[in-house]
Amino acid sequence: SLFRLKDLEVAELGDSDVHVKMLAAPINPADINMIQGTYAILSPLPAVGGNEGVGEVLEVGRRVAALKPGDWVIPAGAGLGTWRTRGVFPEETLLKVPSDIPVLCAATLSVNPCTAYRMLTDFETLAPGDSVIQNAANSGVGQAVIQIAKASGIKTINVVRDRPDLPKLVERLMALGADHVVTEEMLRKPEMKDIFKSIPKPRLALNCVGGKSTTEMLRHLQPKGTLVTYGGMAKQPVMVPVSAFIFRDLRLRGFWMTQWRKDHAQGQESLASMMDALCQLIRRGQLTAPACTEVPLQDYKAALEASMKPFTSSKQILLL
């Protein structure tokens, strides 16, 4: 295994540092990819895993103005190394979040809901009644897309892989606010026409799979619609028929939350307004944490194994 649980001394608290007691940190696919060395970010080794989580501030250096003991913080960017019980971090690597939201919502806030929010906001101007289609709809991002879209009056068509417990999954996604849940096989069936009797064809498609699933989703996009790719779980390219470009003028775009954060590092307004919007949804009960399995840190091996199994519908969260 690439992992060991180690006891380390907590670093000295510098003037601009913050001593944080970590509360909870999820295991995301990108965390695993980073460890395998297949991600666009490589941490110098030895490194602490984990890009997401929530902690409580224990003490702050004398130059730290925006944070105080008792505040809750999440990583401001990738690569913080959240799989630890405590750590000392420079103030600018942390973002304050309200401590009146559930701890699992805070722990899973900085990656998936932000990705969902940006993709629904930045590519197409969607109005209530419009629709979006997405694959891997049961993923963390997928669940957030369903809920954020629902709160804005946007309809979702959600594509999932066929599986033994399909009715249970459909029921869960519908309970989150999904309008339609279909399997990849259904995408090329005539029944899709029935869906579009009641809702317009989507202007936006969100892809984190690639391969055939994506080509099939594209067929249902409106002319001039946009496909945004933010992951490639099938490890296959996105294949687009030439006619989709010529006769329907479809747009293909990509999205990476880490890059968005870099691009918006100077002006904090867009980040603050997104965080506000997401925390408001959480407080109103319109955005919940994804289905989670809470695991004590010492059982990290089992948690890592569980997070790599196919058809996982539950996110492993390390309790620290």
Side-chain angles (χ1 to χ4, degrees), residues 243-259:
S243 61
F245 283 128
I246 299 174
F247 302 119
R248 290 168 54 222
D249 192 15
L250 295 187
R251 284 130 225 262
L252 266 63
R253 301 284 307 273
F255 182 77
W256 187 31
M257 194 64 222
T258 301
Q259 188 62 46

Side-chain angles (χ1 to χ4, degrees), residues 142-155:
Q143 293 176 55
V145 164
I146 290 170
Q147 296 175 83
I148 296 167
K150 171 88 176 167
S152 322
I154 294 159
K155 310 283 183 201

Side-chain angles (χ1 to χ4, degrees), residues 146-147 150 168-178 181:
I146 290 170
Q147 296 175 83
K150 171 88 176 167
K168 241 174 47 201
L169 175 61
V170 172
E171 196 179 318
R172 228 187 59 209
L173 297 182
M174 298 297 272
L176 286 180
V181 181

Side-chain angles (χ1 to χ4, degrees), residues 62-84:
R62 58 189 183 86
R63 289 223 193 96
V64 174
L67 295 170
K68 58 184 191 309
D71 284 348
W72 277 14
V73 288
I74 62 174
L80 192 67
T82 52
W83 300 344
R84 62 173 102 208

Side-chain angles (χ1 to χ4, degrees), residues 6 20 34 63-64 70 85 93 114 120 128 146 160 163 204 214 219 227-228 268 283 285 291:
K6 277 179 72 167
V20 177
M34 253 172 100
R63 289 223 193 96
V64 174
T85 52
T93 62
C114 290
L120 287 170
I146 290 170
V160 296
R163 63 194 65 214
L204 181 65
T214 309
R219 291 169 51 172
L227 169 85
V228 181
Q268 289 296 306
R283 286 198 195 93

